[in-house]
Amino acid sequence: MKTKSLFLLTTFASIFLILQNIPAQDYNTWGLPDGALLRLGKGRISGNAAFSPDSTRLAVAGAIGIWIYDARPGKVTELDLLTGHTGQVTAVAFSPNGNTIVSGSSDGTVRLWDVVTGQQIAILEGDNADATCLAFSPDGNTVATGSGSWDRFGPSVRLWDIPTRKQKSIFKHTETVNSIAFSPDGNTLASCDSEQVLLWDTRTGVNRTLQPEHNQEILKVAFSLDGKTIATGSWDETVKLWDVITGNHKITIEAENKLGIQNFVFAPDGKTIATTGNKNVRIWDANTGKLKITFKGPAADGFFIAYSPDGKTLATICDGHIVQLWDTQTANHRATIKGHTDSVESIVYSPDGNTIATVNPREHTYLWNVSTGQQQAIFPASDMSITSLVFTPDGNNIITGGWFENLRSWEIPTPLQQTNTIKSKSILISYYMGIKSMVYSPDGNYIAFGRRNATLGLWKPGIDKKIVTLKGHIDEVNSVAVSPDSTTLASGGDDNYVMLWDVQTKRRIATLRGHTSDVKSVAFSPDGTILASVSFDRTARLWNTQTAKQIRLIKAQKLHFTSVVFSNDGNILVLGNEDGTVQIWNPHTGIQIATLKGHWRSWMVGVSAVVFSPNGDTIASGGYDGTVLLWKIR
């Protein structure tokens, strides 16, 4: 663990970002960027999982790096986080001798890592391309990587020579390469895109085509242990086995009653095939296609599955953020690796500042301990996704809304513990208008909503039985803010407009024009005289709330701003950016003070939310990498 400090010299104050001393075994401090205090969550699982040759270690491709776990029975725990990629890791594999890990990333590089030290050994030299998949050759001297249509050469397969660490061959595909696999003798490389499987002679580069008769996109290809059979998996939820020499179809593995197959892997002995899909893990006879075992335990679904080389363990990635380990001897669930989280789209502090709630509409909502970084509780998964929430002023309850969800009240357990699942206390009001943002007024009298149907909502909990609707926008309202005195609302929408509203009269005060694309976030200064807004037009704009005139324009150097917040004293403006940075600005001079780098930009966006702690000494930033970083300001 490293102790780091970052000094930000400003025209009005000195800001110090410091890293506190935290026990080394706490993974929340591993691989932190300069100036970060703590990390909440391990980030999204952005690629596959791979076992070491001795079956004791599991490497998981994540949005912030490569997580290494002890995979031994009864000893499952975090061991290391390998960081160095500047984009999410898309694929990982161990070398046959177990000494090296190779990784591909959305940053366009392929890297080698020392398994013992965790240090980066090299970046392989050649044409950069985001790796969609990769594999080591059986002799460990070659790595093959697949890429997509964004590759400047088009979709392709590259071969990299490990002794020289240079690219040696490139094979062209017509569509994004979904999977690659070496034959046991290393002389043939199989690669598949959505429509075809190509078999390449690794020595000459000559290929022949295998035409699997799947009804939907081909997702994966794999060789049997003897190299005589090749298996293909597809979105049509079947696994088909083919003769490598003749290309003839042998058998089809298909679950009865449309139970589904999402992914598959050959057992190390080649006699069986394990599949995952529709919340089940199953073992099938590779010769007959007959179902042998259905595993017992927690539901398992998802695209990634891995067999340990000793054949005793299966690893499956469920819902994109949970790793399940299964005992193949007893067919029982063995362990769950938690802590990975999908993209963070909203962050809310509790009134006392001790707890942070993170929201992701596609996944769960979590509560985190700000001091330790540990997950304290989880909201149960629901078909009606939570998109926004607020703490009640006393901090004892949470009110949530969603795309199609009722407004609900949730009681926060005391004390909060990791095992807690938050229980719904009551449905406050039936409401199906699609909430995109939600905020409690500072005086605690009402909640304001921004909605998908281009309206705002005002509601007084415990008093009103219905929501007052404010009309004026002509497209979705992405963000809503309340002035410090609770008398004025601000809203920003996909119609490019920022609007001010009088809470008492329920009328629009002004429409602030200037943005040329979707307005994503708005925030009032502490004295209410300035409103900040950010847009996809790559600008942040400051407005005088009395005159409704623009007083300052800030242009993004890269990509666009996604979120905005003022410090408690109004002397700092914090902007989240799509490039993954948190930017510190002086709102009075328009001078940028510092850039905090820590979130990795995924295929979607980098930083999605920024917020100050109630006492004003910490910034929390959330990203689509699935983490929240805390930055201490003193």
Side-chain angles (χ1 to χ4, degrees):
M1 300 301 102
K2 297 179 181 179
T3 301
K4 301 176 181 177
S5 62
L6 176 64
F7 300 91
L8 306 179
L9 299 179
T10 77
T11 58
F12 54 90
S14 293
I15 305 172
F16 301 92
L17 303 181
I18 62 173
L19 175 62
Q20 295 180 342
N21 292 325
I22 301 175
Q25 67 269 22
D26 190 341
Y27 64 79
N28 299 91
T29 64
W30 295 356
L32 285 175
D34 286 347
L37 171 71
L38 198 65
R39 179 188 293 111
L40 310 183
K42 298 177 182 177
R44 294 186 300 104
I45 298 176
S46 51
N48 67 309
F51 280 95
S52 61
D54 63 5
S55 302
T56 64
R57 300 290 184 265
L58 183 71
V60 177
I64 62 172
I66 304 162
W67 287 92
I68 308 298
Y69 295 96
D70 189 329
R72 293 175 295 172
K75 298 183 179 181
V76 177
T77 188
E78 301 84 4
L79 295 178
D80 205 355
L81 170 62
L82 312 185
T83 59
H85 281 293
T86 58
Q88 63 183 7
V89 180
T90 52
V92 293
F94 280 90
S95 61
N97 63 12
N99 295 331
T100 306
I101 289 176
V102 64
S103 60
S105 166
S106 61
D107 65 11
T109 66
V110 178
R111 304 184 185 218
L112 301 177
W113 309 82
D114 187 290
V115 171
V116 175
T117 66
Q119 298 299 308
Q120 181 178 297
I121 300 171
I123 299 176
L124 300 185
E125 298 179 16
D127 301 309
N128 290 345
D130 297 359
T132 55
C133 50
L134 55 77
F136 259 106
S137 63
D139 63 8
N141 291 325
T142 303
V143 165
T145 63
S147 67
S149 56
W150 51 87
D151 189 335
R152 68 188 182 97
F153 289 99
S156 61
V157 173
R158 289 171 169 80
L159 298 185
W160 308 80
D161 185 73
I162 298 305
T164 64
R165 297 170 184 170
K166 294 183 179 180
Q167 180 182 308
K168 61 180 182 180
S169 302
I170 183 169
F171 306 147
K172 299 296 182 64
H173 252 268
T174 56
E175 296 187 34
T176 296
V177 180
N178 292 329
S179 175
I180 53 179
F182 278 98
S183 62
D185 62 9
N187 293 330
T188 303
L189 179 73
S191 60
C192 74
D193 57 34
S194 61
E195 296 182 352
Q196 64 179 351
V197 175
L198 297 178
L199 302 180
W200 306 87
D201 187 311
T202 56
R203 296 157 296 185
T204 65
V206 175
N207 74 75
R208 60 188 177 93
T209 302
L210 178 69
Q211 294 286 1
E213 298 169 359
H214 286 289
N215 297 325
Q216 297 186 43
E217 179 180 357
I218 303 167
L219 299 175
K220 187 174 180 179
V221 61
F223 280 97
S224 62
L225 180 66
D226 59 12
K228 296 180 180 179
T229 302
I230 194 166
T232 57
S234 164
W235 279 127
D236 65 11
E237 299 186 335
T238 67
V239 176
K240 296 189 176 185
L241 275 61
W242 313 82
D243 186 285
V244 172
I245 301 300
T246 65
N248 293 332
H249 176 252
K250 299 171 72 172
I251 60 172
T252 295
I253 296 175
E254 185 174 10
E256 296 180 358
N257 301 321
K258 298 183 179 180
L259 292 177
I261 294 175
Q262 292 295 323
N263 201 356
F264 75 93
V265 63
F266 272 104
D269 62 9
K271 296 179 180 179
T272 58
I273 290 176
T275 66
T276 179
N278 197 43
K279 309 301 181 183
N280 280 286
V281 177
R282 304 180 184 90
I283 301 292
W284 310 77
D285 189 295
N287 292 315
T288 65
K290 300 294 185 182
L291 177 63
K292 297 185 66 175
I293 304 170
T294 297
F295 284 46
K296 305 172 184 178
D301 208 350
F303 188 69
F304 296 108
I305 182 172
Y307 235 120
S308 63
D310 63 10
K312 296 180 180 180
T313 307
L314 268 174
T316 59
I317 296 175
C318 312
D319 299 324
H321 69 285
I322 296 175
V323 180
Q324 305 280 18
L325 298 181
W326 308 81
D327 188 318
T328 59
Q329 309 300 306
T330 64
N332 289 330
H333 174 259
R334 202 177 76 190
T336 298
I337 297 175
K338 296 182 178 180
H340 289 281
T341 46
D342 206 343
S343 56
V344 176
E345 298 188 12
S346 180
I347 311 169
V348 182
Y349 268 97
S350 62
D352 61 11
N354 295 328
T355 304
I356 281 178
T358 58
V359 179
N360 182 292
R362 293 176 297 278
E363 200 210 273
H364 297 288
T365 294
Y366 297 98
L367 298 184
W368 305 86
N369 184 294
V370 172
S371 298
T372 66
Q374 295 300 311
Q375 181 183 308
Q376 291 182 307
I378 185 173
F379 286 69
S382 170
D383 291 336
M384 303 299 184
S385 301
I386 294 173
T387 58
S388 190
L389 61 80
V390 290
F391 282 88
T392 55
D394 61 12
N396 294 329
N397 295 275
I398 287 175
I399 297 174
T400 64
W403 289 127
F404 309 103
E405 178 64 285
N406 297 314
L407 286 176
R408 291 178 183 267
S409 176
W410 307 77
E411 185 174 5
I412 301 175
T414 303
L416 274 172
Q417 299 174 348
Q418 272 189 281
T419 56
N420 286 143
T421 296
I422 303 294
K423 296 181 179 179
S424 177
K425 185 178 179 181
S426 61
I427 296 177
L428 299 176
I429 191 170
S430 295
Y431 186 71
Y432 302 100
M433 300 308 293
I435 294 173
K436 296 198 72 174
S437 61
M438 180 163 57
V439 62
Y440 231 118
S441 63
D443 62 11
N445 288 333
Y446 64 89
I447 295 175
F449 310 93
R451 305 193 286 199
R452 294 181 69 189
N453 69 344
T455 68
L456 280 76
L458 290 177
W459 178 58
K460 294 183 178 181
I463 300 177
D464 288 349
K465 296 300 182 181
K466 64 178 181 179
I467 293 174
V468 176
T469 297
L470 308 182
K471 298 181 179 180
H473 283 281
I474 57 175
D475 208 337
E476 296 185 12
V477 179
N478 297 315
S479 180
V480 60
V482 181
S483 63
D485 63 6
S486 301
T487 64
T488 306
L489 287 179
S491 58
D494 280 351
D495 55 10
N496 308 348
Y497 295 144
V498 177
M499 296 184 181
L500 296 176
W501 308 80
D502 186 292
V503 174
Q504 183 65 33
T505 65
K506 313 298 188 297
R507 293 182 180 276
R508 183 173 22 156
I509 301 170
T511 299
L512 313 182
R513 294 177 171 86
H515 285 296
T516 58
S517 188
D518 305 357
V519 178
K520 289 301 177 184
S521 182
V522 293
F524 279 98
S525 63
D527 62 6
T529 61
I530 300 174
L531 181 73
S533 60
V534 297
S535 164
F536 274 12
D537 64 9
R538 297 193 176 190
T539 69
R541 298 171 191 259
L542 302 184
W543 312 83
N544 184 303
T545 56
Q546 300 303 312
T547 65
K549 300 295 185 181
Q550 180 179 305
I551 57 177
R552 190 167 305 285
L553 174 67
I554 297 173
K555 294 183 179 181
Q557 294 181 350
K558 295 181 179 179
L559 303 178
H560 62 259
F561 297 120
T562 58
S563 47
V564 60
V565 65
F566 280 93
S567 62
N568 293 10
D569 62 7
N571 290 327
I572 300 173
L573 184 71
V574 180
L575 300 172
N577 194 283
E578 189 188 22
D579 66 4
T581 64
V582 176
Q583 299 178 14
I584 312 296
W585 293 76
N586 183 331
H588 308 302
T589 65
I591 296 175
Q592 185 173 351
I593 302 164
T595 299
L596 309 180
K597 299 179 180 180
H599 292 285
W600 300 142
R601 183 176 184 267
S602 72
W603 63 273
M604 295 177 67
V605 72
V607 175
S608 52
V610 290
V611 64
F612 268 94
S613 60
N615 63 10
D617 65 1
T618 304
I619 298 171
S621 60
Y624 279 94
D625 59 11
T627 68
V628 173
L629 289 172
L630 303 185
W631 312 85
K632 184 74 173 180
I633 293 183
R634 186 174 61 188

